Short mmCIF file of all heavy atoms in Angstrom, two decimals:
data_model
loop_
_atom_site.label_atom_id
_atom_site.label_comp_id
_atom_site.label_asym_id
_atom_site.label_seq_id
_atom_site.Cartn_x
_atom_site.Cartn_y
_atom_site.Cartn_z
N ALA A 200 -42.46 -9.01 79.76
CA ALA A 200 -42.56 -7.58 79.98
C ALA A 200 -41.56 -7.07 80.99
O ALA A 200 -41.31 -5.84 80.97
CB ALA A 200 -44.02 -7.38 80.61
N VAL A 201 -40.94 -7.89 81.77
CA VAL A 201 -40.05 -7.38 82.79
C VAL A 201 -38.60 -7.60 82.44
O VAL A 201 -37.74 -6.83 82.72
CB VAL A 201 -40.30 -8.17 84.15
CG1 VAL A 201 -39.40 -7.60 85.28
CG2 VAL A 201 -41.71 -7.89 84.64
N LEU A 202 -38.33 -8.62 81.64
CA LEU A 202 -36.97 -8.92 81.24
C LEU A 202 -36.59 -7.93 80.06
O LEU A 202 -37.41 -7.75 79.22
CB LEU A 202 -36.84 -10.40 80.75
CG LEU A 202 -36.85 -11.46 81.82
CD1 LEU A 202 -37.05 -12.86 81.10
CD2 LEU A 202 -35.62 -11.42 82.60
N PRO A 203 -35.31 -7.43 80.08
CA PRO A 203 -34.87 -6.58 79.03
C PRO A 203 -34.67 -7.40 77.70
O PRO A 203 -34.34 -8.56 77.79
CB PRO A 203 -33.58 -6.00 79.51
CG PRO A 203 -33.07 -6.96 80.55
CD PRO A 203 -34.31 -7.63 81.12
N GLY A 204 -34.84 -6.74 76.59
CA GLY A 204 -34.40 -7.31 75.37
C GLY A 204 -35.42 -8.23 74.72
O GLY A 204 -35.06 -8.88 73.73
N THR A 205 -36.63 -8.37 75.19
CA THR A 205 -37.64 -9.31 74.69
C THR A 205 -38.53 -8.58 73.72
O THR A 205 -39.25 -9.32 72.90
CB THR A 205 -38.51 -9.79 75.79
OG1 THR A 205 -39.33 -8.74 76.36
CG2 THR A 205 -37.72 -10.48 76.89
N GLY A 206 -38.54 -7.36 73.53
CA GLY A 206 -39.39 -6.64 72.69
C GLY A 206 -40.77 -6.34 73.29
O GLY A 206 -41.72 -5.86 72.58
N VAL A 207 -41.01 -6.77 74.49
CA VAL A 207 -42.35 -6.54 75.13
C VAL A 207 -42.18 -5.53 76.29
O VAL A 207 -41.18 -5.67 77.04
CB VAL A 207 -42.89 -7.87 75.70
CG1 VAL A 207 -44.21 -7.61 76.45
CG2 VAL A 207 -43.19 -8.80 74.52
N ASP A 208 -43.07 -4.56 76.41
CA ASP A 208 -42.87 -3.54 77.39
C ASP A 208 -43.92 -3.66 78.52
O ASP A 208 -43.71 -3.13 79.62
CB ASP A 208 -43.07 -2.19 76.75
CG ASP A 208 -42.00 -1.88 75.71
OD1 ASP A 208 -40.83 -1.76 76.07
OD2 ASP A 208 -42.41 -1.86 74.52
N VAL A 209 -45.04 -4.28 78.23
CA VAL A 209 -46.15 -4.34 79.27
C VAL A 209 -46.99 -5.55 78.94
O VAL A 209 -47.23 -5.87 77.79
CB VAL A 209 -46.90 -3.04 79.30
CG1 VAL A 209 -47.44 -2.67 77.94
CG2 VAL A 209 -48.09 -3.06 80.30
N LEU A 210 -47.59 -6.17 79.99
CA LEU A 210 -48.64 -7.10 79.80
C LEU A 210 -49.96 -6.52 80.32
O LEU A 210 -50.03 -5.99 81.44
CB LEU A 210 -48.34 -8.42 80.54
CG LEU A 210 -49.45 -9.48 80.51
CD1 LEU A 210 -48.78 -10.91 80.45
CD2 LEU A 210 -50.39 -9.38 81.82
N MET A 211 -51.01 -6.64 79.59
CA MET A 211 -52.33 -6.24 80.02
C MET A 211 -53.36 -7.27 79.61
O MET A 211 -53.22 -8.11 78.74
CB MET A 211 -52.81 -4.94 79.19
CG MET A 211 -52.03 -3.70 79.62
SD MET A 211 -52.63 -2.24 78.68
CE MET A 211 -51.82 -0.93 79.58
N GLY A 212 -54.50 -7.32 80.42
CA GLY A 212 -55.56 -8.22 80.11
C GLY A 212 -55.79 -9.24 81.16
O GLY A 212 -55.11 -9.35 82.12
N THR A 213 -56.90 -9.99 80.93
CA THR A 213 -57.34 -11.03 81.84
C THR A 213 -56.83 -12.41 81.47
O THR A 213 -56.92 -12.89 80.36
CB THR A 213 -58.84 -11.08 81.94
OG1 THR A 213 -59.27 -9.85 82.47
CG2 THR A 213 -59.39 -12.23 82.73
N GLY A 214 -56.17 -13.07 82.52
CA GLY A 214 -55.68 -14.42 82.32
C GLY A 214 -55.91 -15.27 83.56
O GLY A 214 -56.64 -14.80 84.45
N GLY A 215 -55.34 -16.39 83.65
CA GLY A 215 -55.51 -17.28 84.79
C GLY A 215 -54.98 -16.74 86.04
O GLY A 215 -53.88 -16.16 86.11
N THR A 216 -55.67 -16.90 87.17
CA THR A 216 -55.10 -16.54 88.51
C THR A 216 -53.94 -17.39 88.89
O THR A 216 -52.95 -16.94 89.47
CB THR A 216 -56.18 -16.62 89.55
OG1 THR A 216 -56.86 -17.82 89.62
CG2 THR A 216 -57.18 -15.50 89.40
N PRO A 217 -53.93 -18.78 88.58
CA PRO A 217 -52.71 -19.55 88.96
C PRO A 217 -51.47 -18.88 88.26
O PRO A 217 -50.39 -18.82 88.83
CB PRO A 217 -53.02 -20.91 88.36
CG PRO A 217 -54.56 -21.02 88.44
CD PRO A 217 -54.95 -19.59 88.04
N GLU A 218 -51.59 -18.60 86.97
CA GLU A 218 -50.47 -18.02 86.23
C GLU A 218 -50.11 -16.70 86.75
O GLU A 218 -48.89 -16.33 86.76
CB GLU A 218 -50.91 -17.85 84.72
CG GLU A 218 -51.03 -19.18 83.97
CD GLU A 218 -52.46 -19.75 84.07
OE1 GLU A 218 -53.24 -19.28 84.93
OE2 GLU A 218 -52.73 -20.63 83.19
N GLY A 219 -51.09 -15.95 87.26
CA GLY A 219 -50.76 -14.66 87.90
C GLY A 219 -49.97 -14.82 89.11
O GLY A 219 -48.98 -14.01 89.31
N VAL A 220 -50.22 -15.80 90.01
CA VAL A 220 -49.42 -15.92 91.26
C VAL A 220 -48.01 -16.42 90.90
O VAL A 220 -47.01 -15.97 91.48
CB VAL A 220 -50.12 -16.92 92.14
CG1 VAL A 220 -49.30 -17.27 93.43
CG2 VAL A 220 -51.50 -16.38 92.62
N ILE A 221 -47.94 -17.33 89.92
CA ILE A 221 -46.62 -17.82 89.46
C ILE A 221 -45.77 -16.61 88.92
O ILE A 221 -44.60 -16.45 89.29
CB ILE A 221 -46.72 -18.89 88.36
CG1 ILE A 221 -47.32 -20.15 88.99
CG2 ILE A 221 -45.37 -19.23 87.82
CD1 ILE A 221 -47.72 -21.25 87.93
N ALA A 222 -46.43 -15.81 88.12
CA ALA A 222 -45.77 -14.67 87.51
C ALA A 222 -45.30 -13.66 88.58
O ALA A 222 -44.19 -13.03 88.47
CB ALA A 222 -46.55 -13.98 86.47
N ALA A 223 -46.15 -13.50 89.67
CA ALA A 223 -45.79 -12.54 90.69
C ALA A 223 -44.44 -12.80 91.35
O ALA A 223 -43.72 -11.94 91.68
CB ALA A 223 -46.91 -12.48 91.66
N VAL A 224 -44.16 -14.13 91.55
CA VAL A 224 -42.95 -14.48 92.16
C VAL A 224 -41.77 -14.07 91.30
O VAL A 224 -40.79 -13.53 91.80
CB VAL A 224 -42.96 -16.08 92.38
CG1 VAL A 224 -41.53 -16.47 92.91
CG2 VAL A 224 -43.98 -16.48 93.34
N ALA A 225 -41.90 -14.31 90.00
CA ALA A 225 -40.77 -13.86 89.10
C ALA A 225 -40.68 -12.34 88.94
O ALA A 225 -39.59 -11.83 89.02
CB ALA A 225 -40.99 -14.54 87.71
N VAL A 226 -41.81 -11.71 88.91
CA VAL A 226 -41.80 -10.27 88.76
C VAL A 226 -41.17 -9.59 89.88
O VAL A 226 -40.40 -8.67 89.76
CB VAL A 226 -43.19 -9.73 88.53
CG1 VAL A 226 -43.24 -8.23 88.48
CG2 VAL A 226 -43.77 -10.24 87.10
N ARG A 227 -41.56 -10.09 91.12
CA ARG A 227 -40.97 -9.47 92.30
C ARG A 227 -39.44 -9.72 92.38
O ARG A 227 -38.72 -8.84 92.66
CB ARG A 227 -41.63 -10.06 93.58
CG ARG A 227 -41.11 -9.48 94.80
CD ARG A 227 -41.97 -9.62 96.05
NE ARG A 227 -41.34 -9.02 97.22
CZ ARG A 227 -41.92 -8.84 98.35
NH1 ARG A 227 -43.19 -9.22 98.54
NH2 ARG A 227 -41.33 -8.32 99.46
N ALA A 228 -39.00 -10.91 92.06
CA ALA A 228 -37.56 -11.26 91.95
C ALA A 228 -36.81 -10.36 91.02
O ALA A 228 -35.64 -10.03 91.23
CB ALA A 228 -37.40 -12.65 91.70
#
Side-chain angles (χ1 to χ4, degrees):
V201 181
L202 288 167
T205 65
V207 175
D208 299 290
V209 54
L210 175 145
M211 289 182 170
T213 293
T216 51
E218 292 89 343
V220 176
I221 294 171
V224 174
V226 172
R227 180 160 181 170

